[in-house]
Amino acid sequence: MQIDWKRNLYIAWSGCFFTGASFSLVMPFIPVYIEQLGAPTDQVEFYAGLAISVTALASALVAPIWGSLADRKGRKLMMVRAAAGMTFTMGALAFVPNVFWLLVMRFMTGVLSGYVPNATAMIASQAPPEKNGWAIGTLATGTVAGSLIAPMIGGYLAEHVGMENVFIITGTVLLITTILTIIFVKEDFTPIQKKDAIPAKDLMKMIKKPSILYGLFATTLILQLGVTSITPILTLYIRELGGDADNILFVSGMIVSVAGVSAFISSPFLGKIGDRYGNQNVLMGGLVLFLVCILPMAFVETPFQLGVLRFLMGFSTGALMPSINAIISKISPKEGVSRIFSYNQMFQNFGQVLGPLVGSTIAAGFGYSSVFIGTAGFIVINIILSFVNFKGTFGKKIQYK
């Protein structure tokens, strides 16, 4: 069976776009919705943070299970499962009677998630090696674009059609994703019995350079920790810098989104550069640029200066996860590529859980500016780790198998 991997890429891109949008669409008004559900006024922020982090935590815990199942049953089936499951859990948020059930549904969203890593694993296994980085970078722009556009749309819809209806719209979008995936995504996959599946220990032995893989897992965790550590304090930091109180939410939204714009622009191009000159070179360059951008944020004097640095930082984030995923796809044997990606997804989710906690803790003890300095420290650790991991290969295009 001849697979049109480019068609799969474009359909998977739309699925990643809708999935990324569905997660971000509801973010602007989650605290208000929690308040509406009857949470005590002095605990709204706590429950809002919990509602966000519990999804990432649940996703991290179950990612290896879904990855193992994908290697036995196929990536397309897991993409359909994830989209269909989230259709229910996201849509059900419109009908929850209290905060407890909202947290349950958010947890179940994490349990049933996994569209993006399985789409990445599928495209990585189908794209020609010489176009792997470009394909994964292009796919990444789908999630970025959805996450970028959705918060603005979500806030507008919540104001004009009501918060409950936004959840129903989100469920509908995910239902469309499910249908598109079922009809148009093609995968030539022969199911494997559980007894015939390669055990995880043997799978790791098939990887010629496992130290690189373990280093990438650590890089992913630290990177996500660094990216999300500033999330809890960004709006407050902008207000401290003298942002106009009348449009502080709009300015904050713009400053958050502007990093996504540059990441969207740069991901496919940097993926192509990685294919030609080595993904590890692009990864290291992205980490250095991230450090150069994040550290001065502690010393800016206006929201505009912060926005410029966030825009430049987006070019680095456009290089990082696609480069990591491209290297993982080149390291991993096809028999276990979904499991390897699911392990990386687990570390990514743990980073997303730890990041806001670390950022809030630093801010409470040392002030908002210190969060950027602390984050820069984590990125320095990441640079050292990557230098050791790829020692002797920089400036070269290396073979991983």
Side-chain angles (χ1 to χ4, degrees), residues 134-150:
W134 172 81
I136 291 175
T138 300
L139 185 65
T141 64
T143 308
V144 171
S147 302
L148 176 67
I149 296 169

Side-chain angles (χ1 to χ4, degrees), residues 189-204:
F189 190 90
T190 303
I192 301 169
Q193 294 296 319
K194 188 174 183 178
K195 61 182 177 63
D196 298 324
I198 301 171
K201 184 171 67 174
D202 294 339
L203 179 63
M204 290 301 177

Side-chain angles (χ1 to χ4, degrees), residues 177-256:
T177 300
T178 306
I179 295 169
L180 286 174
T181 305
I182 291 172
I183 295 174
F184 294 109
V185 170
K186 305 297 180 185
E187 184 181 26
D188 185 9
F189 190 90
T190 303
I192 301 169
Q193 294 296 319
K194 188 174 183 178
K195 61 182 177 63
D196 298 324
I198 301 171
K201 184 171 67 174
D202 294 339
L203 179 63
M204 290 301 177
K205 290 179 180 177
M206 295 172 67
I207 299 171
K208 290 188 176 180
K209 298 180 180 179
S211 62
I212 289 180
L213 181 63
Y214 299 141
L216 289 172
F217 289 163
T219 296
T220 295
L221 187 147
I222 298 171
L223 174 62
Q224 289 302 312
L225 190 156
V227 168
T228 58
S229 63
I230 62 176
T231 304
I233 58 96
L234 194 58
T235 300
L236 301 173
Y237 188 53
I238 293 167
R239 185 171 65 187
E240 186 180 83
L241 290 172
D244 188 344
D246 293 334
N247 66 348
I248 189 71
L249 293 179
F250 173 75
V251 172
S252 297
M254 290 292 292
I255 290 176
V256 170

Side-chain angles (χ1 to χ4, degrees), residues 29-39 44 94 97-99 162-164:
F29 59 84
I30 277 285
V32 181
Y33 192 55
I34 287 172
E35 194 173 44
Q36 181 178 298
L37 288 172
V44 168
N98 51 49
V99 175
M163 290 180 285
E164 291 88 348

